[in-house]
Amino acid sequence: MTNDTPFTPAVHLPRLAGRAYHCQCGSPVFFRNSTCLACGTALGYDAAQASLLPLIPGTEHDTWVAWRTDDAPVDAASAAVYLRCANLHTPAACNWLVPVSKDAPQALLCQACRLNRTIPDLNDTAHPDNAELWGKIELAKRRLVSALLALGLPVTSRMDEDPAQGLMFDFLRSPDFGPHVMTGHDTGLITLNLNEADDATREAIRKAMHEPYRTLLGHLRHEVGHYYWDRLVSGTAWMDGYRTLFGDESQDYLASLQTNYEQGPRPDWALHYVSAYASVHPWEDWAECWAHYLHMRDTVDTALSFGLSADSAQLEFTPFTLDALYQPEHLQAQGFLDFLNQWTRLTTLLNEMSRAMGQPDFYPFVLPREVVTKLHFIHLVVTSVNAADLAPDAVPEAMQPHEQTQEMVQGDNLQQAVYQMQNQNSF
């Protein structure tokens, strides 16, 4: 789009939950808030509604109900009743709500905190920053989980909800003189090195690895991509399309990492991949593209919920066209294309805003045509999760899962022998 091109508003993908919230007093409040700073009202995030709610005490001790904005009295018998997550007053500072259960043992931790298997030692006098670092990780994890739920993806705890297919997290700190903790994924377990939450340490690794970008949220989005590859792609009808776009995942993962470590990424990676690390192996290509898909969905949804759109901005911009998509004939292809072009406009604008403040680019990546095709493929996989609730004849053949035919050993659990190479992803 040039300055002479008429402005046509885009038709976006269906909105997710957004991130613009308001207290009962009318003041803006934000995803991380547990109290309105303007009026002192208690706040809590209800994952089922994907909304931050102003709260008033319930009829039972330590229970809460949502504030009514009208003058009608709260009906305690019908109103949803909540506990606040038991991690509210820990360094995790979790502001999520836990529905009160009448028919099952009462959970004390929220849907996000129940995913934790291991947290840092908060009584470690040798590392008093454990609490602060864990708090940063939990905030990023709640952002991740809220977006996964808004997309309709399965999110269950591997410990006590779904031992076979659930998800869990270990947040570990490397011993001062011991083996290094590897960040990675292994059959539903995501391990994150606590030191990644230290800004100085993470920035030093980013510079050493010549990465344009490295964040806690990016790490979590990347690793959960491996988990959803296992859940949604492996052994299903999506495998043929996956191998066509991303490559044959059966190629030796350790050998691919070793080649990347010794020779660096392939010289033409920028023409085919979203990052240099994506070129290492088809598993990593998927995980990197998955992370970018989550970046895009959450950022665009946040921008739109605050009324920010670059559709009418005067930008030098060449939009992508339908032939760049994985299935350009798909009924919802135009909606994804409009979303993609909205993202490109928005990041062009936000990059210029960052430069105006002397900051690094908001989104320091370029999307080659092949990456756009991969992103559309991921979008179709994600939307197929909800499509499974439709009548069988309403679900495209590629969306109908086949039975798992073989066990796959996911790539990141093999990285125990190659720590030097493990830390090269773009987040």
Side-chain angles (χ1 to χ4, degrees), residues 120-315:
D121 182 357
L122 304 180
N123 298 311
D124 185 356
T125 57
H127 300 101
D129 60 341
N130 277 2
E132 177 187 0
L133 300 181
W134 179 47
K136 291 180 178 180
I137 290 174
E138 287 296 332
L139 180 59
K141 193 191 76 184
R142 290 195 294 273
R143 185 98 191 193
L144 167 75
V145 174
S146 66
L148 298 177
L149 292 171
L151 286 167
L153 293 168
V155 181
T156 54
S157 171
R158 198 173 188 89
M159 276 95 63
D160 55 14
E161 294 176 308
D162 188 352
Q165 297 188 93
L167 179 65
M168 60 187 177
F169 292 85
D170 282 352
F171 302 128
L172 307 176
R173 183 162 196 155
S174 301
D176 291 340
F177 304 101
H180 190 91
V181 169
M182 260 65 72
T183 293
H185 168 262
D186 182 5
T187 57
L189 170 63
I190 291 176
T191 301
L192 183 64
N193 188 326
L194 189 67
N195 287 329
E196 284 287 346
D198 180 76
D199 295 340
T201 299
R202 191 176 62 255
E203 175 63 11
I205 297 173
R206 186 195 68 78
K207 292 179 67 175
M209 297 297 177
H210 306 289
E211 298 169 349
Y213 200 64
R214 191 179 185 93
T215 68
L216 283 175
L217 184 55
H219 274 310
L220 294 174
R221 284 172 171 165
H222 173 99
E223 299 304 338
V224 86
H226 289 304
Y227 167 72
Y228 283 111
W229 187 88
D230 284 344
R231 286 292 307 264
L232 306 178
V233 177
S234 179
T236 75
W238 292 108
M239 283 300 293
D240 287 343
Y242 168 80
R243 287 173 173 160
T244 298
L245 297 179
F246 296 89
D248 183 359
E249 80 291 344
S250 67
Q251 64 184 270
D252 192 306
Y253 183 78
L254 280 177
S256 298
L257 284 175
Q258 187 67 34
T259 299
N260 180 74
Y261 178 62
E262 294 175 350
Q263 303 176 14
R266 48 188 284 182
D268 64 344
W269 70 263
L271 299 177
H272 308 281
Y273 300 94
V274 73
S275 68
Y277 190 64
S279 68
V280 169
H281 188 274
W283 275 331
E284 300 304 340
D285 191 12
W286 164 271
E288 289 282 272
C289 287
W290 176 277
H292 280 258
Y293 178 77
L294 294 186
H295 285 338
M296 295 162 66
R297 291 300 303 266
D298 200 358
T299 302
V300 169
D301 195 54
T302 299
L304 294 176
S305 70
F306 281 95
L308 175 62
S309 174
D311 283 343
S312 59
Q314 298 298 303
L315 299 170

Side-chain angles (χ1 to χ4, degrees), residues 295-414:
H295 285 338
M296 295 162 66
R297 291 300 303 266
D298 200 358
T299 302
V300 169
D301 195 54
T302 299
L304 294 176
S305 70
F306 281 95
L308 175 62
S309 174
D311 283 343
S312 59
Q314 298 298 303
L315 299 170
E316 293 292 333
F317 172 71
T318 302
F320 291 104
T321 53
L322 281 171
D323 58 352
L325 302 187
Y326 174 66
Q327 288 185 359
E329 73 285 353
H330 193 279
L331 291 177
Q332 283 80 47
Q334 186 63 49
F336 180 83
L337 182 67
D338 290 337
F339 158 77
L340 177 70
N341 287 324
Q342 163 73 359
W343 166 254
T344 307
R345 292 187 190 95
L346 181 64
T347 53
T348 299
L349 175 61
L350 293 178
N351 282 346
E352 285 302 311
M353 297 291 287
S354 295
R355 295 163 192 166
M357 286 294 293
Q359 295 292 325
D361 281 0
F362 172 85
Y363 186 70
F365 300 94
V366 175
L367 299 180
R369 186 183 178 92
E370 289 181 35
V371 171
V372 169
T373 307
K374 295 171 185 177
L375 290 170
H376 189 222
F377 178 84
I378 288 173
H379 174 69
L380 294 177
V381 172
V382 169
T383 55
S384 76
V385 174
N386 294 321
D389 295 332
L390 301 174
D393 57 357
V395 181
E397 180 179 352
M399 293 184 179
Q400 297 180 18
H402 291 178
E403 206 173 297
Q404 183 89 20
T405 56
Q406 61 179 335
E407 279 190 19
M408 304 298 297
V409 180
Q410 185 54 272
D412 278 347
N413 69 320
L414 299 178

Side-chain angles (χ1 to χ4, degrees), residues 17-18 20-22 31 44-54 97:
Y21 313 112
H22 289 85
F31 180 69
Y45 184 81
D46 181 4
Q49 298 184 54
S51 184
L52 188 66
L53 306 178
L97 299 172

